[in-house]
Amino acid sequence: MIEFADLLKADNGQPARSIQLIEAAELDAWFTAQPERVRALISAQKFRAKPNEHAIVPGEGQSDWSVVAGVAKRDALGSWCLARLAESLPEGSYRLAEGSTGAAALGWLAAQYRFERYRKDEGAVGPRVLLTSDVARIETIVQQAEAVALVRDLVNTPAADMGPQDLEDAVRQLAQAHGGEVQVTRGDALEQGFPMIHAVGKAADKSFAPRLIEMSWGDPSAPRVAVVGKGICFDSGGLDIKPSSGMRLMKKDMGGAAHAIALARLIIGARLPVRLHLLVPTAENAIGGNAFRPGDILRSRQGLTVEIGNTDAEGRLVLGDALTRAGEEKPELIVDFATLTGAARVAVGPDLPALFTNDETLASDIAAAGTAVDDPTWRLPLWDGYYDMLKSDIADLNNAGEGGFAGAVTAALFLQRFVPDGTAWIHLDTFAWRPAARPGRPKGGEALGLRAVFRLLQQRYDSAR
């Protein structure tokens, strides 16, 4: 298992190979200044100094060599500028020839992530260690890499090994390591107190019984922040069953829970001065003789009645009860993560979490935070005019918007009904998956929006940052 703390070390002058970063516009001048034998080898490697390109530069001795790599802006390295190097270079230690590693250190670490629970990578290369003079940031960067890896691990794990109990175990491990308090509601207490969570998960096998997992951490007198994550460990669609193609990736439908747990870990690791309330409503949306049905009326924890227009719109049901519980603690901010709608993916694609918020200042702050840490989000509107799409003739709400329009918006509007008036709220409809690999970001489970929200919380609550 990779220990990210072993991959980013303080530069104390220890032996390491040098990495020279150059921009494409600087290539001709750099190339002309090299000895003929170096120019010949660089030409053979077809190095053009484009981002993510690199070449090996021979030194004076037989085993002496260094690296030259292309970057877009040498003086403004982004998170992923060094990621391809970390994937491609041989085992060993490296340092930049000049300048600071900055944000690029995160990509160096994240690029060496491997999911090897079920199969070892026989061709895996040993650790590539990056030396940095930016010693003060090492701990924070390592914590962020660990949080990203946690999301990837949880999402990549198949549903047979990542059920409600496994998510509970993940929360308990976090709590035990940092003095958090855990409360789990299941069985009859869940049916009575959180009826929508119970309804979604009641058809699952007992080993996958639904529950609400809560963890509290921090000074009770500090500002209260609730973090909620959708934990549908597998989504068959229920009686409105998905086609096989739609079910293939439904192990990742607990991606919101993975993000929420990872964010809690970051908050605790940074010791942000908040009273954290983590809530993970978790269930398997299974099919059985006692599954909830299209047309059923569910009574929520809040008291609102919900007509089931589609059993495959289950995520908003479990979140509705969890958001109600979060509001009972009177937080000043609620953040929820959910792999909620295919409509969000149609609107903004797999890379951008669709962001909804009821607070204009939060909207601009999180946009800026995401840009600053290379973890962008894209705001969509909480358009009140679409509330009519959630109308029911016999209940307070229908869980599935009519007409097939604005699916991500109507899902967010549904959730908003369970957020207390006057409470600032952020909802991220995230994909939690990367369909194709990019430097530092392998195909599979992915943290999208996690670092943006954490940066927002740092700026909001930690004046020292």
Side-chain angles (χ1 to χ4, degrees):
M1 179 178 177
I2 291 176
E3 294 291 342
F4 290 112
D6 295 335
L7 303 180
L8 186 63
K9 296 289 189 180
D11 191 345
N12 296 316
Q14 59 267 56
R17 300 193 186 276
S18 175
I19 300 173
Q20 177 68 55
L21 302 180
I22 63 172
E23 300 173 18
E26 302 168 330
L27 177 60
D28 289 344
W30 178 86
F31 185 82
T32 301
Q34 302 307 307
E36 183 177 350
R37 63 188 182 87
V38 172
R39 294 200 300 269
L41 184 57
I42 295 299
S43 295
Q45 295 177 76
K46 298 181 179 179
F47 177 67
R48 297 291 180 266
K50 295 180 180 179
N52 299 320
E53 284 188 349
H54 77 277
I56 301 300
V57 181
E60 297 299 328
Q62 290 185 348
S63 61
D64 183 19
W65 55 270
S66 62
V67 181
V68 61
V71 291
K73 293 183 179 180
R74 181 159 37 86
D75 296 329
L77 297 181
S79 299
W80 311 109
C81 289
L82 302 181
R84 181 70 78 194
L85 289 175
E87 294 172 344
S88 306
L89 292 175
E91 178 180 352
S93 295
Y94 300 86
R95 65 164 56 88
L96 296 186
E98 56 187 21
S100 170
T101 55
L106 174 68
W108 183 278
L109 302 186
Q112 297 183 62
Y113 167 85
R114 298 291 182 273
F115 183 66
E116 296 184 320
R117 178 168 177 173
Y118 303 97
R119 185 185 70 179
K120 297 295 183 183
D121 184 356
E122 300 298 335
V125 178
R128 280 78 74 197
V129 180
L130 183 63
L131 305 181
T132 177
S133 58
D134 197 359
V135 178
R137 295 187 62 189
I138 290 178
E139 183 179 8
T140 297
I141 292 170
V142 168
Q143 288 175 350
Q144 293 196 20
E146 290 173 342
V148 169
L150 176 60
V151 174
R152 292 174 177 179
D153 281 346
L154 293 174
V155 174
N156 283 331
T157 302
D161 295 324
M162 188 50 62
Q165 183 62 55
D166 300 286
L167 286 178
E168 180 181 331
D169 291 345
V171 174
R172 289 192 182 278
Q173 288 171 12
L174 180 63
Q176 289 168 3
H178 300 283
E181 303 168 0
V182 176
Q183 177 180 332
V184 179
T185 307
R186 57 167 69 85
D188 291 342
L190 186 75
E191 183 175 6
Q192 295 301 315
F194 302 92
M196 293 200 296
I197 300 174
H198 172 264
V200 170
K202 66 181 181 180
D205 183 82
K206 290 183 179 179
S207 63
F208 277 67
R211 65 204 69 186
L212 175 65
I213 307 161
E214 299 179 71
M215 185 192 77
S216 298
W217 172 89
D219 183 350
S221 65
R224 294 178 177 267
V225 175
V227 177
V228 185
K230 172 189 169 185
I232 300 298
C233 293
F234 190 81
D235 182 17
S236 69
L239 293 177
D240 286 314
I241 190 169
K242 294 177 182 289
S244 59
S245 59
M247 220 182 292
R248 176 65 182 85
L249 287 181
M250 283 302 100
K251 69 176 185 179
K252 77 172 187 65
D253 212 22
M254 39 61 65
H259 281 72
I261 296 169
L263 180 60
R265 178 172 176 164
L266 285 172
I267 290 169
I268 294 171
R271 304 209 60 84
L272 293 187
V274 298
R275 177 63 170 177
L276 171 66
H277 186 194
L278 171 67
L279 304 98
V280 177
T282 179
E284 179 185 9
N285 188 17
I287 298 172
N290 63 335
F292 75 122
R293 312 167 186 83
D296 281 356
I297 306 293
L298 305 183
R299 185 172 295 277
S300 68
R301 179 178 180 85
Q302 189 190 84
L304 289 172
T305 55
V306 179
E307 181 182 9
I308 303 305
N310 191 322
T311 62
D312 196 20
E314 85 298 329
R316 64 199 69 183
L317 300 175
V318 302
L319 286 171
D321 273 354
L323 288 168
T324 299
R325 171 70 188 109
E328 291 166 3
E329 296 296 317
K330 296 181 169 43
E332 69 169 48
L333 174 64
I334 299 175
V335 180
D336 81 72
F337 294 88
T339 52
L340 202 60
T341 68
R345 306 287 67 80
V346 172
V348 296
D351 292 352
L352 292 169
L355 170 74
F356 297 86
T357 181
N358 59 4
D359 186 295
E360 293 302 316
T361 299
L362 277 177
S364 59
D365 287 350
I366 195 171
T371 299
V373 297
D374 300 313
D375 190 23
T377 61
W378 198 267
R379 190 184 186 190
L380 294 182
L382 280 168
W383 184 250
D384 287 352
Y386 292 158
Y387 264 125
D388 285 350
M389 295 184 184
L390 295 172
K391 282 186 175 179
S392 166
D393 293 333
I394 56 175
D396 295 319
L397 287 169
N398 191 300
N399 78 320
E402 295 181 359
F405 294 117
V409 178
T410 55
L413 289 171
F414 182 94
L415 296 183
Q416 190 178 33
R417 292 293 299 270
F418 300 89
V419 175
D421 291 341
T423 301
W425 168 59
I426 296 171
H427 161 56
L428 287 100
D429 190 336
T430 187
F431 195 40
W433 190 262
R434 190 163 294 283
R438 292 186 179 179
R441 293 152 289 178
K443 180 180 178 180
E446 185 61 297
L448 298 166
L450 170 68
R451 293 182 298 113
V453 175
F454 179 57
R455 176 64 170 257
L456 171 75
L457 296 179
Q458 284 182 308
Q459 293 173 335
R460 186 179 176 101
Y461 296 107
D462 195 343
S463 59
R465 297 178 188 272

